[in-house]
Amino acid sequence: MTTLLKKLENKERIDDELAYKLYDLDLFTLAKYAHEKRFSLHGKKVYFNANRHINPTNICADTCKFCAFSAHRKNPNPYFMSHEEIMQIVDETIQRGTKEVHIVSAHNKDCSWQWYLEIFKMIKDKYPQLHVKAMTAAEIDFLKRRFGLEYEDTIEKMIEYGVDSMPGGGAEIFDETVRIKICKGKVSSENWLKIHKLWHKKGRQSNATMLFGHIEQKAHRIDHMLRLRRLQDETKGFNAFIPLVWQKDNSFLDVKHQLDSEEILKTIAIARIVLDNINNIKAYWATMGLNLAMVAQEFGANDLDGTIEKESIQSAGGAKSARGTKLDTFIELIKTSNLIPVERDSLYNELKVYA
Ligand code: V47
């Protein structure tokens, strides 16, 4: 433990072996070092963006046990939006000042690659300034399994048709023994990382998530972060790390507990310490609530994600996030916490500092 504390004190990288000991430290020791790092990168700034989530379909060929969003017997409301419906959402959200659409679909066998490309093009032709964050590595892998599309070709087309950045979804937990129990058949960890690497090699940026608080052990979370750290050392393509607190309602996992705040904050602090090469740690308010996401800003996080407007994935699992948050709410909360609100774009360029 003394070696670990010495390294933390000296601001040295925590090597792989020592990283597995981080959860043995108490929350406030972790917070001290995580906050130091957060402060050195971002000072008192807390970032957020004006975004809109769009989930065009919930009909899924995969059967992830943690998921409450996909249409199944606990959520028997299958839907598949038309391009016109999606464009109507985009037209409306633009009026409200949205700068990013975050488009994630379930793995629908009837959804052709052409269908995806057409909607990206429609959005970009009409609103060239709107940032399109779309296509998780899990969706790219599904296109390969369903239609035999090679990752490289899919990525080329994403760029050609206007996708600006990739979201971090589908990472879940990289450990293969856990993965087989919670999302057997979906993109493998190796391929998730490979797809992001290919995207980064094109000079593009993406995010990385980690779904935690289900059946995984603490060591699996550390392993997950270390695999991301290794890729980031190589490519520098990840903008943000987003630890997603698993929401347990309507799932097919036999887990009754929901993580407590201490464990969530510890995980955020550890992420800030281990992922010394990823600039931004999001406290995703949709999975931990706005209040805890604000507290997390003192435990290593520097971002709240965005307004979202309509949230369907986590709210299906019980989160109180279905209707998004107002930009003014972020600003007020951050100001009253004696921190500095900063509206950013999707690539973390500052748009407005509310000094
Ligand atoms: O990959 C599914 C997760 C992810 C549940 O890149 C659940 O900026 C909690 O990736 N409880 C999709 N999580 C969302 C996602 C995301 C969200 C915000 C920002 C970004 C970004 C990416 O949602 C899935 C899965 O890991 N998820 N079900 C659930 N019950």
Side-chain angles (χ1 to χ4, degrees), residues 178-190:
V178 177
R179 207 169 176 84
I180 206 163
K181 290 185 191 145
I182 64 167
C183 56
K184 190 175 172 200
K186 194 158 99 167
V187 63
S188 67
S189 308
E190 194 187 340

Side-chain angles (χ1 to χ4, degrees), residues 102 133 167-170 172 207 211 242 245 247 282 284 313-314:
H102 177 166
K133 181 164 83 179
E172 322 313 356
N207 290 335
L211 185 67
I242 309 145
V245 184
Q247 309 294 307
K282 274 189 198 180
Y284 184 47
I313 298 178
Q314 276 82 23

Side-chain angles (χ1 to χ4, degrees), residues 89-255:
I89 293 171
V90 176
D91 288 339
E92 286 167 9
T93 197
I94 282 279
Q95 304 299 322
R96 291 188 283 269
T98 292
K99 314 274 189 320
E100 167 195 293
V101 280
H102 177 166
I103 306 175
V104 171
S105 294
H107 307 159
N108 189 331
K109 282 192 285 197
D110 298 325
C111 201
S112 71
W113 186 212
Q114 201 52 38
W115 183 92
Y116 279 96
L117 294 176
E118 276 165 21
I119 189 63
F120 298 147
K121 186 164 166 23
M122 283 168 86
I123 296 172
K124 271 311 219 204
D125 281 353
K126 194 159 180 189
Y127 303 111
Q129 302 310 320
L130 183 65
H131 185 102
V132 176
K133 181 164 83 179
M135 300 299 297
T136 64
E139 289 174 271
I140 295 174
D141 182 74
F142 179 69
L143 289 172
K144 183 175 163 96
R145 286 187 279 137
R146 171 80 177 115
F147 303 112
L149 299 175
E150 292 305 327
Y151 299 151
E152 288 84 347
D153 297 337
T154 303
I155 282 171
E156 293 278 349
K157 286 274 186 254
M158 280 161 61
I159 293 172
E160 189 184 331
Y161 281 76
V163 175
D164 294 294
S165 70
M166 268 178 68
E172 322 313 356
I173 275 281
F174 290 145
D175 179 85
E176 284 74 9
T177 60
V178 177
R179 207 169 176 84
I180 206 163
K181 290 185 191 145
I182 64 167
C183 56
K184 190 175 172 200
K186 194 158 99 167
V187 63
S188 67
S189 308
E190 194 187 340
N191 284 337
W192 189 97
L193 291 162
K194 182 176 176 183
I195 291 166
H196 280 262
K197 183 172 173 173
L198 288 168
W199 181 251
H200 296 167
K201 294 275 176 215
K202 294 281 178 195
R204 298 292 173 130
Q205 290 172 299
S206 67
N207 290 335
T209 57
M210 173 180 80
L211 185 67
F212 72 113
H214 42 87
I215 62 163
E216 89 291 356
Q217 305 289 308
K218 290 168 185 149
H220 299 134
R221 299 177 203 155
I222 301 290
D223 165 68
H224 191 97
M225 294 178 203
L226 290 172
R227 293 197 209 192
L228 288 173
R229 184 166 82 176
R230 278 194 283 279
L231 180 56
Q232 180 74 342
D233 275 342
E234 221 183 306
T235 66
K236 311 264 184 294
F238 290 118
N239 258 329
F241 176 65
I242 309 145
L244 300 167
V245 184
W246 181 60
Q247 309 294 307
K248 65 176 172 33
D249 292 358
N250 305 315
S251 92
F252 290 88
L253 286 176
D254 188 21
V255 180

Side-chain angles (χ1 to χ4, degrees), residues 23 64 81 85-86 145 155 206 295 354:
Y23 272 106
C64 300
M81 293 179 188
E85 282 174 284
I86 296 173
R145 286 187 279 137
I155 282 171
S206 67
V295 174
Y354 294 82

